[in-house]
């Protein structure tokens, strides 16, 4: 697995593989229920053990983070379950407002043990990813009376280090981490145009190379080789990017974007997202230097890819979004819960279990798990 499989002479590689949709696999869909006494829930991730994480909400009051083992939910306390690692450790974020203060604090839950991982201050702290060893990148504001992200740091080995990411804001995002502890993010300055992406390891950060053109850089994901993917966005125009070592490459296929998802790149270097087509977004896989059209109908986007190369995304069928999984050239509609009209996937594990939402005609999403066989 090397990104060279994706990059090689990218400017010259514009081949498109068109795949005919098919639906030969059988799909089982299971609802992930809210906690007892709650009325709705949402899901944010799944690990290879099949555990899923999300948030359960009562009709009135604050939400609770929830960890599902099968369809049994464990109440992890107030807040939102934002991420889950391979060992079942959950990252939770809780927001409180009052007296003009913007406060948001992260903590982890690990087999019943709750740890406050905030950097020792009242602030609006954003943490949205956790590695297999429990490394959490985060950003935070300089004052509890603002929410601009001025500083970045890392929770690692039971302590927070603000010097591990020597990048200052405002408007920092530091939301990508690999199991080896490499982190990545980007800066969008309050004034001026000097936006850039960065990658950090061992207390040292490097500014990633840019491309010609104006706009704002963002970062979506990285793999264990330290390959980072993201975009340069200028208004309605977007270019998908891949950074390896000191170089940056625009992924082929014209205008498009890498998915905003921690699984936007896998360990063999596959990247997913969308490219611009004549009728709107087209779900896209970048593999071995070629653009693979997944054969989705209508407007579509690819959301995530697992290490076996299975891709999840959504397509438009009859004016409704419908979740799909694409495996080895075969696209399968994942369907909805009975009576619902739409569905959207969120994450996929290496066993092929997909989590996402089945959507009724109203506004409440229902978290579900899809099991695909065949």
């Amino acid at each position: 697995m090397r990104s060279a499989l994706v990059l090689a002479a990218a400017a010259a590689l514009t081949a498109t593989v068109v795949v005919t949709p098919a639906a030969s696999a059988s799909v089982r869909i299971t609802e992930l229920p809210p906690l007892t006494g709650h009325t709705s829930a949402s899901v944010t991730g799944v690990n290879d053990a099949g555990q899923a994480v999300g948030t359960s909400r009562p009709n009135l009051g604050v939400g609770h983070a929830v960890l599902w083992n099968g369809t049994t939910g464990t109440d992890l306390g107030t807040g939102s379950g934002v991420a889950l690692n391979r060992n079942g450790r959950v990252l939770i974020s809780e927001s409180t407002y009052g007296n003009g203060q913007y406060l948001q604090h992260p903590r982890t839950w690990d087999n019943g043990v709750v740890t406050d991982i905030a950097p020792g201050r009242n602030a609006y702290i954003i943490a949205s990813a956790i590695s297999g060893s429990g490394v959490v990148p985060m950003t935070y504001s300089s004052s509890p009376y603002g929410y601009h992200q001025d500083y970045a740091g890392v929770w690692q080995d039971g302590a927070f280090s603000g010097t591990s990411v020597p990048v200052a804001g405002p408007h920092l995002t530091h939301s990508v981490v690999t199991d080896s502890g490499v982190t990545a993010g980007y800066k969008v300055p309050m004034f001026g145009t000097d936006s850039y992406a960065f990658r950090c390891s061992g207390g040292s950060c490097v500014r990633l190379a840019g491309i010609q053109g104006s706009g704002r850089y963002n970062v979506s994901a990285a793999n264990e080789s330290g390959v980072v993917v993201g975009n340069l966005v200028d208004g309605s125009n977007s270019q998908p990017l891949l950074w390896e070592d000191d170089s940056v490459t625009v992924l082929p296929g014209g205008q498009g974007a890498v998915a905003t998802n921690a699984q936007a790149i896998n360990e063999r270097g596959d990247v997913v997202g969308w490219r611009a087509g004549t009728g709107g977004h087209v779900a896209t896989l970048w593999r071995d230097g070629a653009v693979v059209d997944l054969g989705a109908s209508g407007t579509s986007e690819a959301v995530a890819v697992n290490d076996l190369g299975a891709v999840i995304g959504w397509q438009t069928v009859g004016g409704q979004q419908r979740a799909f999984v694409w495996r080895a050239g075969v696209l399968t509609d994942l369907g909805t819960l009975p009576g619902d009209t739409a569905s959207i996937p969120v994450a996929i594990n290496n066993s092929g279990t997909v989590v996402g939402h089945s959507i009724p005609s109203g506004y409440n999403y229902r978290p579900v798990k899809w099991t695909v066989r065949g």
Side-chain angles (χ1 to χ4, degrees), residues 110-209:
D110 187 8
N111 198 28
V113 177
V114 177
T115 305
D116 186 344
I117 63 170
R121 60 192 301 151
N122 282 336
Y124 195 85
I125 303 162
I126 297 178
S128 58
I130 183 169
S131 76
S133 59
V135 177
V136 179
M138 64 182 79
T139 58
Y140 54 99
S141 57
S142 58
S143 165
Y145 297 97
Y147 51 84
H148 300 296
Q149 300 300 285
D150 304 293
Y151 301 104
V154 172
W155 174 272
Q156 186 171 13
D157 299 328
F160 175 80
S161 172
T163 60
S164 58
V165 185
V167 179
H171 298 321
L172 293 176
T173 298
H174 186 217
S175 58
V176 171
V177 62
T178 69
D179 282 345
S180 60
V182 173
T183 66
Y186 58 97
K187 179 177 178 178
V188 177
M190 184 176 292
F191 303 105
T193 59
D194 190 25
S195 174
Y196 61 87
F198 60 87
R199 177 175 52 218
C200 305
S201 179
S204 176
C205 297
V206 296
R207 177 170 171 158
L208 298 178

Side-chain angles (χ1 to χ4, degrees), residues 56-273:
S56 179
R57 301 175 183 85
N59 190 40
L60 295 173
V62 299
H64 286 220
V66 57
L67 177 68
W68 287 281
N69 285 283
T71 58
T72 301
T74 299
D75 189 341
L76 309 185
T78 55
S80 300
V82 296
L84 170 71
N85 76 3
R86 66 189 180 201
N87 301 315
R89 187 180 300 181
V90 177
L91 176 62
I92 301 168
S93 180
E94 184 172 9
S95 300
T96 58
Y97 302 96
N99 300 319
Q101 293 186 332
Y102 299 86
L103 303 180
Q104 182 168 275
H105 280 206
R107 64 182 186 272
T108 60
W109 181 96
D110 187 8
N111 198 28
V113 177
V114 177
T115 305
D116 186 344
I117 63 170
R121 60 192 301 151
N122 282 336
Y124 195 85
I125 303 162
I126 297 178
S128 58
I130 183 169
S131 76
S133 59
V135 177
V136 179
M138 64 182 79
T139 58
Y140 54 99
S141 57
S142 58
S143 165
Y145 297 97
Y147 51 84
H148 300 296
Q149 300 300 285
D150 304 293
Y151 301 104
V154 172
W155 174 272
Q156 186 171 13
D157 299 328
F160 175 80
S161 172
T163 60
S164 58
V165 185
V167 179
H171 298 321
L172 293 176
T173 298
H174 186 217
S175 58
V176 171
V177 62
T178 69
D179 282 345
S180 60
V182 173
T183 66
Y186 58 97
K187 179 177 178 178
V188 177
M190 184 176 292
F191 303 105
T193 59
D194 190 25
S195 174
Y196 61 87
F198 60 87
R199 177 175 52 218
C200 305
S201 179
S204 176
C205 297
V206 296
R207 177 170 171 158
L208 298 178
I211 63 172
Q212 274 195 324
S214 60
R216 296 182 174 186
Y217 290 92
N218 63 50
V219 167
S220 296
N223 65 15
E224 292 304 318
S225 294
V227 179
V228 177
V229 290
N231 305 289
L232 175 64
V233 181
D234 185 5
S236 61
N237 297 320
S238 177
Q239 297 186 72
L241 305 177
L242 189 150
W243 290 274
E244 182 177 24
D245 298 326
D246 297 325
S247 64
V248 60
T249 300
V250 179
L251 295 175
Q255 289 289 323
V258 172
T260 304
N261 192 298
Q263 294 180 290
I265 184 172
N266 68 7
E267 292 309 310
R268 75 178 301 274
D270 295 333
V271 182
V272 296

